[in-house]
Amino acid sequence: LVGQASVTLNRLRAEEAFRESDLRFKMAFMTSPDALVIVECATGKYIEVNDGFCQMSGYSREEAIGKTSNELNIWYDIKQREQLVNKVLKEEKISNYEVVLRSRDGHQLTCLASVSIIHLKGKPHLMYIVRDISELKATQIDLIRAKEAAEEASVLKTAFLNNISHEVRTPMNAILGFTDLLQKEEFSPEIRERYFSIVKCNANLLVSIFDDVLEVSRLDTGRIPLHKVQFSLNDLMEEIQISLQDAVTAKGLHLWFRVDSAG
C-alpha cells in the first residue's frame, strides 16, 4: 500500500508540474508582443493564435482558428509561403526569414518569421513567431535613399567645382595674355585701349562668376535677385572671340560669329 501511495503521489506531482508548465507556456504564448501561430501540418489550419497575431493581422482569434492562411489571404505572395514551408520541413527550424504578409485591410507588412516543427498529440505542427519590421524597413529604405542622395550631391558638387574651375580659367587666361601684350610698346593707343577694355571685361566676368558661386547658397530659398543691365551684344561677342582666340587656335579650331545686319 505504501508503494502504491508513493507512485500515486509522484504521478499527481508530475501531472501538477505538467499543468503548471502548460499554463506558463499558454501565458507566454498569448501575451507575447510578437505574432505567434500554431498551424497543423496536415491541413494547414490555424489551431491557435495569440493577441499579437490578432493585432498585426486584424483578424480575431475566432475568425482565424480553423482557417488556413490562404483562406485569410495572409500571404502577399503565396509562393513565398511554399518556399518557407519547404525550407522548414527540410531543416526543421529556421530563424528570421523575411516575408511579406497582408493584413485584413490589405495593408502590406514586412516581417521576420521564425518557424519550427513541434508535435502536439503525436501530430506535427508548425509554430510561427512573426515580428512586424515594416517601420524598421521603411527607416532602412529612407537611410539608403539619404545615402544615395548624399552621394549624388557629392558627384554634383565635384562637377560644379570642375565647371567653376573651367569658367574661371578662361577669363583668367585672357587677362594674363592681354596683360602681357600691353607691356609691349609697339601697339597704337587705340589697340592698347581695346586691350585694356578686354582685360576689364574679363575681370568683370571673374567677379560675376564669384557672385554666381555665392548665389548658389540662395537656391534653397528661391530668392535669387535678377539684375537688369544694358549691354552691346556685338561688343560682347567680339570680346569673347578675342578672349578665346588663342586657346581655340592652339587646338586647331576656328571661332567666328556673324552679325545679322537686318536685326
Side-chain angles (χ1 to χ4, degrees):
L1 294 176
V2 174
Q4 291 179 350
S6 177
V7 171
T8 302
L9 181 60
N10 289 336
R11 181 174 59 81
L12 291 175
R13 289 175 177 174
E15 291 176 352
E16 180 65 22
F18 176 80
R19 283 193 294 270
E20 290 181 359
S21 176
D22 185 55
L23 179 61
R24 285 195 295 269
F25 172 80
K26 288 181 178 179
M27 288 294 295
F29 182 91
M30 296 305 298
T31 59
S32 172
D34 294 328
L36 271 62
V37 178
I38 298 177
V39 178
E40 191 176 42
C41 287
T43 62
K45 292 182 179 180
Y46 294 153
I47 67 166
E48 190 59 271
V49 299
N50 73 338
D51 293 340
F53 170 83
C54 297
Q55 293 176 4
M56 186 182 76
S57 68
Y59 290 101
S60 67
R61 183 170 178 271
E62 292 73 21
E63 290 172 325
I65 291 179
K67 298 289 184 17
T68 66
S69 59
N70 289 346
E71 291 175 314
L72 297 180
N73 199 27
I74 290 290
W75 290 87
Y76 198 83
D77 183 357
I78 193 64
K79 292 182 179 180
Q80 193 175 48
R81 173 190 173 276
E82 296 173 358
Q83 293 171 354
L84 178 62
V85 171
N86 291 335
K87 185 175 178 64
V88 73
L89 291 177
K90 180 179 179 180
E91 302 178 11
E92 294 189 355
K93 182 178 181 180
I94 59 174
S95 300
N96 297 327
Y97 191 92
E98 186 170 315
V99 297
V100 181
L101 305 178
R102 182 189 290 109
S103 64
R104 183 173 187 170
D105 60 5
H107 186 68
Q108 182 175 324
L109 304 171
T110 302
C111 305
L112 288 180
S114 297
V115 191
S116 57
I117 297 177
I118 62 174
H119 289 82
L120 300 175
K121 297 180 180 180
K123 295 181 179 181
H125 293 70
L126 295 180
M127 180 173 176
Y128 289 80
I129 303 175
V130 182
R131 176 167 297 180
D132 184 2
I133 60 167
S134 299
E135 292 186 5
L136 180 63
K137 197 72 174 179
T139 301
Q140 183 183 38
I141 292 174
D142 289 340
L143 289 174
I144 292 174
R145 289 175 177 171
K147 178 177 177 293
E148 291 175 348
E151 291 174 347
E152 181 180 0
S154 178
V155 172
L156 292 175
K157 178 181 178 181
T158 301
F160 173 76
L161 292 176
N162 289 338
N163 185 62
I164 289 298
S165 175
H166 173 74
E167 294 295 329
V168 168
R169 190 179 295 111
T170 300
M172 183 61 72
N173 288 338
I175 292 174
L176 294 175
F178 282 95
T179 301
D180 290 339
L181 289 176
L182 287 170
Q183 293 177 349
K184 300 178 181 180
E185 298 180 355
E186 63 268 21
F187 294 116
S188 65
E190 291 79 8
I191 293 178
R192 293 174 67 84
E193 183 180 353
R194 184 58 177 165
Y195 286 177
F196 271 122
S197 175
I198 293 173
V199 170
K200 182 178 180 181
C201 175
N202 282 276
N204 290 333
L205 179 58
L206 277 177
V207 173
S208 177
I209 292 172
F210 294 142
D211 287 341
D212 290 342
V213 173
L214 293 176
E215 288 196 353
V216 168
S217 62
R218 304 177 189 176
L219 288 175
D220 290 338
T221 64
R223 297 179 179 178
I224 300 178
L226 297 178
H227 303 285
K228 296 181 179 180
V229 178
Q230 291 185 350
F231 68 97
S232 169
L233 181 58
N234 291 347
D235 291 344
L236 177 61
M237 294 301 298
E238 184 178 350
E239 290 170 357
I240 292 175
Q241 184 187 36
I242 295 174
S243 299
L244 300 178
Q245 193 62 56
D246 290 342
V248 170
T249 302
K251 294 183 178 181
L253 302 175
H254 298 282
L255 175 64
W256 60 275
F257 71 97
R258 183 180 64 185
V259 178
D260 187 355
S261 59

